[in-house]
Amino acid sequence: MTTTATKPRGEYAKTAKRRDDIVTAALSVFSTAGFVSASMSEIAKRAGLTLPGLRHHFASKFDLLQEVLFRRDLDANKHLEGREGIDLLRGLVEIASRDQGDSLTQMFAMLAAEATDIEHPAHDYFQGRYDLIVGTVQRALTEAAAEGTLREGHDPDRLARAYVALSDGLQLQALYRPAAFSQAELIKEFLEEFLTVPL
Amino acid sequence: MTTTATKPRGEYAKTAKRRDDIVTAALSVFSTAGFVSASMSEIAKRAGLTLPGLRHHFASKFDLLQEVLFRRDLDANKHLEGREGIDLLRGLVEIASRDQGDSLTQMFAMLAAEATDIEHPAHDYFQGRYDLIVGTVQRALTEAAAEGTLREGHDPDRLARAYVALSDGLQLQALYRPAAFSQAELIKEFLEEFLTVPL
C-alpha cells in the first residue's frame, strides 16, 4: 500500500508546487497590468510553462483569478473564524498588520478599482466581497454594542463602511509612501475612538 | 478691430470645444481601460477625430492625462482657496458631495491604483497629489486646533491620512453599491467626531 501510494503523493506535491508557482506568477502580472490587460502567455512565461501547460492547471484567466482570491480570503478567515465582538475586531486589526507591505496589496487595489466596471468579469465577485467584509465588521460592532464595548450613539452599519473604506484607502496611500505611517496602528486608533476598551 | 477679432475668437471657441470633446472621450477610456492600456486611437475614434487630428491637440497620452487631472484639480481648488480651519474642512465636505456619483470617480480609482507601480508614467504625479491632499487636510486640522475646534488629543497628521483614506475608500465602495450610503454624510460624521463644532 505504502509503495503504490508514493507515486501519486509525489505527483500531488508536484502539482501543488506547480500551482503555487503559477499563482505567484499571476499575482505579479495582475499587480501591474491588472486583470483585463494581463496575458495568460505572460503568466505562463513567468511560471516557466508553455501556454497549454498553464491551461492544463487553469483553463482560463478567470479561474486563475479565483484561485488567487480564494487563497487570500482563506488566509484572512484564519484571523476571523470563531471570534466575535471585540475579539473579532482584534482579528481585523491582525489582518491590517498582515496586509502592511504585502505584495498582494497592489494587486487588490488594481483589481478592486478595475472591477468597479459592471462589465468586468470579477465585478460580481468584488461586489459580493465588499458586502461580506462590511457585513463582518458590522456584525463585530453589533456584538460589541451588545457587550457594551461600543460607545453609544454609533451606528454599526455606517461605522463598518467607514472602517472598510479607511482600510482600503490607507493601503493605497501606503503604496505611495510606505514609510510614512503604520496602517495597523491608524486602524487600531480609529476603532478605539468608538470603543470603551482598548484593542 | 471687432471684425478682425471675430474669426480668431471663433477659432478659439472651436478649439476649446474640440479639446472638451477629447477630454470627455479620454475620461471614458481611462475609466475602463486605465491609463496604461488606453489607446490614443480609441480616444480619437470616440472624439470623432483621426489619430493625427488628436495628436494635433495632445501630442501624447500623458499630455492628455495631465489635462484631465488639471481640470479636475482646478475644480476642487474652487472649494478650498482662501479658506482655513473649520471653513476649509467644510470645503472638503463640499468636494465629497461633488464626487458622489461623479463619472470621474471610477477613472481616479483606476489611475490611483495602477500608478502605485513605480514605473507608471503618472506615479510621481499621484505621489505628489497625495502629499498635497494630505497636507491640505493636515493644515485645516492644525488651524482648527489653533481655533479650538479640534478636540484635544488628536494628531492632525494622522487624522489627515485617515480622512483621505476614508474618502478614497468610500468612493470605491460607492462604485459597487451606489445607493447604499451617502459619502458626503459619512465623511461629515467622521470629521465631526473629532471636532467641537458641527460642520
Side-chain angles (χ1 to χ4, degrees):
Chain A
M1 280 294 280
T2 324
T3 16
T4 52
T6 306
K7 200 180 167 194
R9 257 184 222 150
E11 285 301 313
Y12 289 139
K14 210 173 143 192
T15 301
K17 168 76 171 63
R18 184 61 48 90
R19 287 174 70 95
D20 287 349
D21 290 349
I22 295 171
V23 166
T24 304
L27 282 175
S28 147
V29 175
F30 289 162
S31 300
T32 46
F35 174 75
V36 175
S37 310
S39 99
M40 285 290 269
S41 311
E42 177 63 23
I43 295 168
K45 202 175 125 194
R46 293 208 196 184
L49 291 170
T50 60
L51 186 54
L54 171 60
R55 290 209 189 274
H56 170 72
H57 295 278
F58 296 96
S60 73
K61 195 165 66 165
F62 189 64
D63 285 352
L64 191 41
L65 176 66
Q66 284 188 308
E67 177 73 15
V68 165
L69 298 172
F70 173 73
R71 288 182 181 211
R72 181 72 169 166
D73 291 344
L74 205 65
D75 186 62
N77 280 341
K78 279 185 213 152
H79 294 276
L80 304 179
E81 62 192 9
R83 301 172 84 166
E84 55 182 57
I86 269 291
D87 191 41
L88 182 52
L89 293 173
R90 289 192 182 112
L92 292 165
V93 175
E94 287 165 19
I95 293 176
S97 298
R98 173 202 70 170
D99 288 349
Q100 215 160 309
D102 186 309
S103 62
L104 301 191
T105 312
Q106 193 178 7
M107 189 201 70
F108 256 83
M110 266 300 279
L111 291 180
E114 71 172 6
T116 56
D117 184 359
I118 203 158
E119 312 264 301
H120 192 283
H123 180 80
D124 291 351
Y125 170 85
F126 270 93
Q127 192 178 54
R129 191 170 190 275
Y130 272 109
D131 289 347
L132 183 71
I133 298 173
V134 171
T136 302
V137 184
Q138 194 190 347
R139 175 170 72 82
L141 292 167
T142 305
E143 288 160 356
E147 291 165 3
T149 51
L150 181 70
R151 278 179 40 214
E152 277 185 34
H154 295 293
D155 175 37
D157 184 45
R158 299 169 77 79
L159 205 49
R161 288 217 169 268
Y163 173 87
V164 175
L166 181 76
S167 167
D168 279 350
L170 288 177
Q171 281 181 12
L172 195 61
Q173 283 179 53
L175 289 166
Y176 285 104
R177 292 281 178 215
F181 62 98
S182 155
Q183 287 173 64
E185 261 180 46
L186 264 171
I187 282 174
K188 192 163 162 272
E189 258 186 56
F190 171 81
L191 276 177
E192 286 180 340
E193 186 63 34
F194 301 92
L195 300 174
T196 60
V197 292
L199 280 176
Chain B
M1 282 296 279
T2 326
T3 17
T4 52
T6 306
K7 202 180 164 193
R9 257 184 221 150
E11 285 301 313
Y12 288 139
K14 211 173 141 189
T15 300
K17 167 75 171 67
R18 184 61 47 90
R19 286 174 70 93
D20 287 349
D21 290 348
I22 295 171
V23 166
T24 305
L27 282 176
S28 146
V29 175
F30 289 162
S31 300
T32 46
F35 174 75
V36 175
S37 310
S39 99
M40 285 291 267
S41 311
E42 177 62 24
I43 294 168
K45 202 175 126 192
R46 292 208 196 185
L49 292 168
T50 60
L51 186 54
L54 171 60
R55 290 209 188 273
H56 171 72
H57 295 277
F58 296 96
S60 72
K61 194 166 67 166
F62 190 63
D63 286 352
L64 192 41
L65 175 66
Q66 283 188 308
E67 176 73 15
V68 165
L69 298 173
F70 172 73
R71 289 183 181 211
R72 181 72 171 167
D73 290 344
L74 205 66
D75 186 63
N77 281 340
K78 281 186 211 151
H79 294 276
L80 304 179
E81 62 193 10
R83 302 172 83 166
E84 56 182 58
I86 269 287
D87 192 40
L88 182 52
L89 292 173
R90 288 193 182 111
L92 292 164
V93 175
E94 288 165 19
I95 294 176
S97 296
R98 174 203 71 169
D99 288 349
Q100 212 159 312
D102 186 310
S103 62
L104 301 190
T105 311
Q106 192 177 8
M107 190 202 70
F108 256 83
M110 263 302 279
L111 292 180
E114 70 172 7
T116 56
D117 183 0
I118 203 155
E119 311 264 301
H120 192 283
H123 179 80
D124 291 351
Y125 170 86
F126 270 94
Q127 193 179 53
R129 190 169 190 275
Y130 272 109
D131 289 347
L132 182 71
I133 299 174
V134 171
T136 303
V137 183
Q138 197 191 344
R139 175 170 70 82
L141 291 168
T142 304
E143 289 160 357
E147 291 165 2
T149 51
L150 181 71
R151 278 178 40 211
E152 277 184 34
H154 295 293
D155 174 37
D157 184 44
R158 299 169 76 78
L159 205 48
R161 289 219 169 265
Y163 173 88
V164 175
L166 181 76
S167 168
D168 278 351
L170 287 177
Q171 281 181 12
L172 195 61
Q173 283 179 52
L175 289 165
Y176 285 105
R177 292 281 179 214
F181 63 98
S182 155
Q183 287 174 65
E185 262 179 48
L186 263 171
I187 282 174
K188 191 163 163 274
E189 259 185 55
F190 170 80
L191 277 177
E192 287 181 338
E193 186 64 31
F194 300 92
L195 301 172
T196 60
V197 293
L199 282 176

